[in-house]
Amino acid sequence: MDPLSPIDPISTLLAPPSSLQAQEYFDELISKRRNPGIKVKQNEAFGKGVYAETEFKEGELILKDQMVVGAQHSSNKMDCLVCSFCFRFIGSVEIQIGRKLYLQQLGVSVNHSECDMEDMYSDGEDYSYEENGEDSGACSSSHLRKKVELPKGVVESLMNGDLKLPYSDRFPLPPTVPCIGSCGEAYYCSKSCAQADWESCHSLLCTGEKSESVSREALVEFIEHANETNDIFIVAAKAISYTILRYRKLKATSLEEQRKDKNVSGFTVPAALSEAWKPISMGHKRRWWDCIALPVDVESSGENAFRMQMRNLASTSLELLKAAIFDNDCEPSSPVEDYFLYINDLPSSEKKETEEMTRPIFEALGDDYSVSCEGSAFFPLQSCLNHSCCPNAKAFKRDEDKDGQATILALKPICKGEEITISYVDEDLTLEERQASLADYGFRCTCPKCLAEET
Ligand SMILES: C[S@@+](CC[C@H](N)C(=O)[O-])C[C@H]1O[C@@H](n2cnc3c(N)ncnc32)[C@H](O)[C@@H]1O
């Protein structure tokens, strides 16, 4: 068999890893990430689970987990300009506010190609937004807000840096670094994040002129389909691009080693592919279309048809992605909120003067002025945490947690050997509401709180 020809048995890659493979992988990951207080173990009832290897006090950090791939929600892109790799807020308080107001006034979402963000940062441009333009509401995340209009030119001045808000230098943000492929859609907090994202997955998913995708038109079609249906397909595309790029690197290294030393064991596609796919495969879960909850308006007799419809949706998305990248051969607070809280807390003499300038901007932003960055991501350790409606831990962003890492803190004292659990849903909901939300995860909760409330 030609060792470089693509192999078909994708099903081998999609099979769950054996318990031994998973145990070795997570032991190594925990040791590399220096999270000695935890261990991933097989749980008889629910598959994998995370267990305490030491005692944790209330409020103590249990683990920090680096994401493998993740994406900001399409609908959130209008509210927050964040680094496309580490999801830190970028630019400045003025750019965050100005960009949001600009997009609201334009009445478009940045997911759609009508609005090129590149234009918004170039100085002296005619931004041509309608001063009294009606928000179409079609793509805006804030069409319910009562708008207060700002004088002409304020929004442009905020975006191009001509208008500096008082005290905004107390909330410094990293500058915006554009994407290497010039797509004008991805921005970063540093050149190193831009490079890391390019090498991790973006080179194949970039719609810019330096894109390494097979077809930029096909890629745009794939992204539009994901934005119109479910933007989880963007995260799936990132996982696939990540695997392809890791595979290529492994192949190049292996062939180079073989060239130097003929005695080095030969490169094989299956081995390199499964190594490249390993970080994703370790998060193996049931198929999405098999476990999502049945919508309330679908009768149980229509369940098979519904699941088939969802499967077809995922398959259409994959076909679109394949046309774009197929290779023949893997809640922080908002700085805007922090800024306005700071202004609100100023001593009254300074506050009065400052608010003359900031109040109209605050009112123009409306109720949702402080939206934080939201998205979906795959965190290998966090994804092993099982659910409980009376959890002993919580994913929590502290002031220092500004990057895209997941932080898990103890909610109460945890003993050595105890399972660490988080709540996937709002624990204050009623029993029925909690169980309905958990149906999306494909299980019925039997934690002590649910059992007590059921009787
Ligand atoms: C984020 S994963 C947690 C890790 C998972 N046990 C594994 O083996 O990868 C979520 C899945 O774990 C299972 N799970 C988590 N908490 C559970 C619970 N309280 N009861 C039953 N199944 C649970 C469900 O299958 C759920 O879809």
Side-chain angles (χ1 to χ4, degrees):
M1 181 179 148
D2 172 8
L4 294 182
S5 68
I7 44 122
D8 175 52
I10 293 295
S11 45
T12 316
L13 290 176
L14 295 182
S18 72
S19 315
L20 186 65
Q21 284 170 326
Q23 196 63 63
E24 280 174 2
Y25 174 80
F26 285 107
D27 287 351
E28 198 187 323
L29 190 69
I30 286 168
S31 125
K32 261 201 238 151
R33 302 254 173 101
R34 298 198 181 88
N35 279 312
I38 56 161
K39 187 162 179 82
V40 172
K41 288 197 264 186
Q42 207 64 24
N43 169 324
E44 296 276 297
F46 318 142
K48 294 188 294 293
V50 179
Y51 291 82
E53 286 280 279
T54 178
E55 281 180 13
F56 290 101
K57 295 193 196 77
E58 184 179 336
E60 201 177 334
L61 177 73
I62 298 175
L63 79 101
K64 284 273 244 175
D65 198 9
Q66 184 65 53
M67 76 177 71
V68 178
V69 287
Q72 186 182 12
H73 283 320
S74 308
S75 56
N76 182 255
K77 287 188 178 174
M78 177 165 174
D79 291 310
C80 309
L81 178 64
V82 296
C83 172
S84 293
F85 189 65
C86 75
F87 302 100
R88 236 177 262 268
F89 277 86
I90 52 175
S92 62
V93 168
E94 286 85 355
I95 287 180
Q96 292 288 339
I97 296 173
R99 175 180 169 277
K100 180 168 170 165
L101 289 170
Y102 171 79
L103 291 169
Q104 283 173 3
Q105 287 168 336
L106 215 57
V108 296
S109 156
V110 288
N111 315 318
H112 300 260
S113 47
E114 294 101 303
C115 172
D116 184 355
M117 297 208 317
E118 197 84 63
D119 292 345
M120 300 194 311
Y121 300 122
S122 52
D123 287 358
E125 283 284 334
D126 174 11
Y127 299 108
S128 68
Y129 74 93
E130 284 173 42
E131 203 69 46
N132 297 311
E134 280 297 308
D135 187 341
S136 73
C139 322
S140 165
S141 64
S142 25
H143 59 281
L144 296 176
R145 217 177 358 87
K146 215 175 133 221
K147 280 198 233 161
V148 176
E149 278 167 33
L150 286 170
K152 191 168 172 49
V154 171
V155 172
E156 296 94 320
S157 306
L158 282 169
M159 283 197 296
N160 64 26
D162 285 350
L163 179 59
K164 200 103 188 66
L165 292 174
Y167 302 106
S168 67
D169 50 3
R170 305 211 175 172
F171 301 86
L173 296 177
T176 50
V177 174
C179 155
I180 292 175
S182 319
C183 61
E185 280 161 23
Y187 285 87
Y188 300 92
C189 65
S190 61
K191 282 191 176 160
S192 60
C193 264
Q195 187 65 36
D197 196 30
W198 188 255
E199 286 173 16
S200 164
C201 61
H202 192 61
S203 54
L204 286 177
L205 297 175
C206 175
T207 52
E209 54 195 32
K210 296 197 194 106
S211 171
E212 288 168 15
S213 70
V214 177
S215 157
R216 282 201 277 155
E217 290 71 35
L219 196 53
V220 169
E221 212 185 319
F222 162 78
I223 294 170
E224 278 173 3
H225 177 263
N227 286 335
E228 280 159 17
T229 55
N230 191 330
D231 64 10
I232 198 69
F233 296 141
I234 302 274
V235 184
K238 287 193 174 195
I240 294 171
S241 304
Y242 166 89
T243 305
I244 293 174
L245 293 171
R246 254 171 77 89
Y247 165 79
R248 285 183 189 169
K249 257 192 223 151
L250 287 169
K251 178 176 159 184
T253 317
S254 173
L255 293 180
E256 179 59 21
E257 279 170 6
Q258 254 183 287
R259 200 184 54 77
K260 285 195 199 138
D261 180 358
K262 294 271 178 295
N263 295 324
V264 167
S265 59
F267 164 82
T268 65
V269 175
L273 256 184
S274 77
E275 184 57 30
W277 177 244
K278 199 170 176 183
I280 309 287
S281 76
M282 292 298 160
H284 186 274
K285 302 279 181 289
R286 283 166 61 207
R287 296 190 204 289
W288 172 69
W289 53 83
D290 282 338
C291 58
I292 50 170
L294 211 57
V296 278
D297 55 347
V298 176
E299 309 249 329
S300 55
S301 59
E303 177 161 355
N304 285 348
F306 167 75
R307 302 221 177 271
M308 190 50 81
Q309 202 187 340
M310 292 300 109
R311 190 185 172 141
N312 288 342
L313 196 64
S315 143
T316 305
S317 171
L318 185 60
E319 285 309 313
L320 291 168
L321 182 68
K322 269 165 78 180
I325 67 167
F326 185 66
D327 184 345
N328 286 334
D329 260 358
C330 163
E331 159 178 26
S333 65
S334 141
V336 176
E337 178 177 25
D338 291 345
Y339 173 74
F340 284 115
L341 285 174
Y342 178 84
I343 300 296
N344 192 44
D345 288 344
L346 283 172
S348 51
S349 53
E350 283 169 58
K351 185 173 165 181
K352 192 164 179 286
E353 193 188 332
T354 309
E355 279 197 329
E356 274 173 29
M357 182 169 183
T358 59
R359 178 146 297 279
I361 291 171
F362 181 73
E363 284 175 356
L365 281 168
D367 289 342
D368 62 353
Y369 72 96
S370 63
V371 178
S372 60
C373 176
E374 292 164 4
S376 308
F378 170 53
F379 292 91
L381 291 172
Q382 190 185 7
S383 79
C384 293
L385 286 163
N386 286 318
H387 162 87
S388 169
C389 298
C390 40
N392 54 19
K394 189 179 175 66
F396 191 78
K397 289 278 181 195
R398 300 163 302 174
D399 282 348
E400 63 263 43
D401 300 322
K402 296 210 188 296
D403 57 11
Q405 295 197 16
T407 309
I408 306 292
L409 299 181
L411 283 177
K412 44 180 129 166
I414 301 175
C415 302
K416 186 174 174 185
E418 207 180 316
E419 178 168 10
I420 299 166
T421 53
I422 55 173
S423 178
Y424 299 174
V425 298
D426 179 351
E427 307 101 270
D428 294 332
L429 295 174
T430 63
L431 173 68
E432 288 71 30
E433 288 167 333
R434 294 199 307 272
Q435 297 290 14
S437 300
L438 289 168
D440 251 342
Y441 296 86
F443 68 92
R444 194 170 168 80
C445 186
T446 52
C447 74
K449 181 171 171 176
C450 288
L451 292 181
E453 286 176 26
E454 262 165 19
T455 50

